[in-house]
Amino acid sequence: MKKNDKKNLVIVESPAKAKTIEKILGNNFLVTASFGHIRDLPKSTLGVDIENNFTPNYSTIRGKGEITKNLKALAKKAEKVYLASDPDREGEAIAWHIAHTLKLDENENNRIEFNEITASAIKDAIKHPRKIDINKVNAQQARRILDRLVGYEVSPLLWKAISSNTSAGRVQSVALKLICELEDEIKAFIPEKYWDINGEFQDKI
């Protein structure tokens, strides 16, 4: 295939969006889907190096091998790759993982985002690509690492102390603590009797 014959590759999260976006962009573009995340922390181990600044150790998600292989093949033949995952921190992380997997230049303006599937929004996004926002990526990574540390480190303690059906979580554990504290306040409340006294007074001075 000659260089001029190469198409630009756009990678979205959802396959439902791919065909619509491809029709909008025209013949010079090929749109495919990553079906969400392609890499994550492994399920079989903690996946976080606590001794090395909490470095996450990512691996390809089970069942995503063929998708990853297809993305690599398409990217290899593409003129340019655009990362069009959702416009939030999760989507930013997905774009970052795809860029890492496809060995794309992190300093390249290849990240595009749009909030609606319309011709004007899609075409405007293609005209204004940017670099991956590493701050959003780090925000997502921090949340993911905390999820893993709390879930994998605290849950086993609950299994031993309470039941194998219990679990701990970054959000649910804090929410449960707040509920328990409120319940303790309710139980510790001591009711006191009080009366309202109403009167009518007339000044005779």
Side-chain angles (χ1 to χ4, degrees):
M1 180 180 288
K2 296 180 181 179
K3 183 176 181 181
N4 292 338
D5 295 332
K6 288 185 176 182
K7 292 187 176 184
N8 296 301
L9 177 65
V10 179
I11 303 175
V12 297
E13 290 186 43
S14 169
K17 298 177 182 178
K19 291 300 179 183
T20 303
I21 295 173
E22 192 169 272
K23 288 179 182 178
I24 291 172
L25 292 175
N27 294 329
N28 291 329
F29 289 84
L30 175 65
V31 184
T32 190
S34 68
F35 293 81
H37 282 276
I38 61 172
R39 294 201 310 166
D40 196 8
L41 300 175
K43 289 186 176 182
S44 58
T45 61
L46 182 62
V48 179
D49 189 348
I50 298 175
E51 302 299 327
N52 186 25
N53 199 28
F54 296 91
T55 302
N57 299 312
Y58 295 110
S59 61
T60 301
I61 296 173
R62 187 174 183 179
K64 290 295 186 77
E66 282 301 315
I67 293 173
T68 299
K69 183 179 178 181
N70 182 55
L71 291 176
K72 287 180 177 180
L74 292 175
K76 189 175 181 180
K77 295 185 292 183
E79 176 71 16
K80 181 177 176 64
V81 178
Y82 293 95
L83 306 172
S85 45
D86 293 348
D88 52 27
R89 69 180 183 187
E90 207 68 30
E92 205 71 20
I94 290 173
W96 180 76
H97 282 296
I98 293 174
H100 184 277
T101 300
L102 302 183
K103 294 180 171 57
L104 303 180
D105 185 355
E106 292 185 6
N107 294 315
E108 184 180 353
N109 292 325
N110 55 19
R111 173 76 168 111
I112 62 173
E113 57 182 354
F114 40 83
N115 293 302
E116 56 185 41
I117 310 299
T118 61
S120 58
I122 301 300
K123 290 179 179 179
D124 184 65
I126 287 291
K127 290 178 182 178
H128 302 94
R130 60 169 174 79
K131 296 178 183 178
I132 292 174
D133 188 341
I134 197 63
N135 289 326
K136 283 187 178 179
V137 174
N138 288 335
Q140 190 275 344
Q141 287 194 105
R143 180 200 62 77
R144 188 71 188 93
I145 291 169
L146 284 171
D147 280 342
R148 177 55 61 92
L149 291 176
V150 175
Y152 276 47
E153 295 293 291
V154 181
S155 291
L157 299 178
L158 296 180
W159 300 340
K160 294 178 181 179
I162 303 174
S163 164
S164 59
N165 294 322
T166 57
S167 64
R170 173 181 57 91
V171 175
Q172 72 180 39
S173 298
V174 177
L176 181 60
K177 183 178 187 295
L178 293 174
I179 292 172
C180 290
E181 288 179 345
L182 181 58
E183 182 65 21
D184 288 340
E185 287 183 21
I186 293 172
K187 290 179 178 179
F189 177 74
I190 300 175
E192 296 180 2
K193 290 183 179 181
Y194 67 93
W195 294 266
D196 290 329
I197 300 177
N198 299 314
E200 294 182 4
F201 304 91
Q202 184 175 5
D203 186 359
K204 293 184 178 183
I205 300 176

